Amino acid sequence: VVLVDPGRGPGPLVDSISAALGSGRYARSAAVASARRVLSLKRTTNAPLATTSLAPASGTTGASLTPTFSGLARDRVGGPLKLQLAVRTAGSTTWDVANTSAPAVASGTRGSYRLPAGRLRPGTTYEWVVRTCNGAGLCGPSSPVLRFTTG
């Protein structure tokens, strides 16, 4: 982590590091290790952004009995992310249908989870939420509660 002169910006620092890397005075492996340490620390203090581009969209009717829930995972720091998903029967006070995590995805990509057969009933309204979590266990805000009705 470096302090940058606000009057000059990061340009001189970037130029110096580039020159040191180019000349061999600063080993690329040392620069990579240093950047990884900084990113690792940032993951413990910076939660991911809110999950966007959610599906199924709120108000969906005729949804599959094995829907695929998905959302765009975003994080300023980068690194692997997971979507945490919860589904409940509309009106329930507990997430009684599913409370699970999707496989790991990179920031800026869509994570998805397909609900297994046998969890949903036809013609029933359900609610769901999702949030993005990073490898350090910090999670962004939960989405609004979204509703869908099965076909």
Side-chain angles (χ1 to χ4, degrees):
V1 177
V2 297
L3 299 176
V4 176
D5 179 345
R8 295 175 53 192
L13 177 65
V14 171
D15 293 343
S16 295
I17 292 172
S18 295
L21 284 167
S23 71
R25 289 178 294 140
Y26 186 33
R28 184 167 299 280
S29 61
V32 169
S34 192
R36 285 187 176 145
R37 281 192 308 275
V38 170
L39 290 174
S40 179
L41 178 61
K42 283 185 173 190
R43 282 186 196 98
T44 65
T45 59
N46 293 283
L49 300 168
T51 311
T52 60
S53 184
L54 305 172
S58 196
T60 298
T61 58
S64 165
L65 293 176
T66 56
T68 298
F69 299 92
S70 69
L72 186 63
R74 300 177 306 130
D75 187 16
R76 290 182 193 95
V77 178
L81 301 170
K82 284 192 173 193
L83 298 185
Q84 285 188 341
L85 168 79
V87 182
R88 68 183 176 198
T89 307
S92 176
T93 57
T94 62
W95 298 100
D96 58 348
V97 175
N99 202 343
T100 189
S101 289
V105 296
S107 182
T109 62
R110 182 169 288 281
S112 61
Y113 175 80
R114 185 174 187 100
L115 197 63
R119 300 272 183 97
L120 303 181
R121 296 183 311 272
T124 304
T125 300
Y126 294 93
E127 298 174 332
W128 73 287
V129 294
V130 65
R131 65 184 182 166
T132 301
C133 301
N134 68 18
L138 289 178
C139 299
S142 289
S143 68
V145 175
L146 303 169
R147 295 172 71 96
F148 69 96
T149 302
T150 55

